[in-house]
Amino acid sequence: MTAAPTFVRACALEELAEDTPKRVELDGTPVCVVRTEGEVFAINDICSHANVSLAEGEVEDCQVECWLHGSSFDLRTGKPSGPPATRPVPVYPVKIEGDDVLVSVTQES
Ligand code: FES
């Protein structure tokens, strides 16, 4: 049986500048929240190649680039577009309620 996703508040929508990732911690999970191309995305903040924060990278074309070795991760799927990272990072459902950005980190993918 799959539990319904539980959404928790990540931040205010106005705290998210376009293409500027923000790191938050939700239920002990580090999450990189990005507002880009008119949408908000939430992706696990730890690069799948090594233990660094993706929120410190740059956003372009709906991808966040890891600052350390340059793999880019698709914000919609979590998949890396090229090496050295080979594994995807988890992505999480996002809901906007009023001025709040809500993210569910409980969903199994
Ligand atoms: S640590 Fe992210 S690509 Fe190497």
Side-chain angles (χ1 to χ4, degrees):
M1 196 170 107
T2 311
T6 306
F7 285 86
V8 292
R9 184 181 185 277
C11 59
L13 189 55
E14 65 179 19
E15 286 175 60
L16 293 177
E18 182 86 4
D19 293 341
T20 305
K22 180 178 177 63
R23 179 188 167 109
V24 295
E25 195 143 323
L26 304 174
D27 292 337
T29 303
V31 178
C32 170
V33 185
V34 180
R35 181 181 195 169
T36 188
E37 297 180 8
E39 277 192 74
V40 178
F41 299 92
I43 188 168
N44 191 283
D45 191 45
I46 306 299
C47 180
S48 65
H49 181 237
N51 188 15
V52 303
S53 170
L54 292 175
E56 292 170 29
E58 302 212 332
V59 174
E60 201 178 339
D61 293 337
C62 219
Q63 302 190 24
V64 60
E65 182 183 29
C66 178
W67 58 270
L68 191 54
H69 304 116
S71 282
S72 288
F73 294 88
D74 192 304
L75 293 167
R76 296 157 292 206
T77 64
K79 291 192 181 138
S81 61
T86 54
R87 287 172 295 123
V89 294
V91 293
Y92 306 112
V94 175
K95 270 200 313 201
I96 309 296
E97 266 182 20
D99 293 331
D100 292 329
V101 176
L102 309 179
V103 175
S104 172
V105 292
T106 56
Q107 177 170 298
E108 303 272 327
S109 58

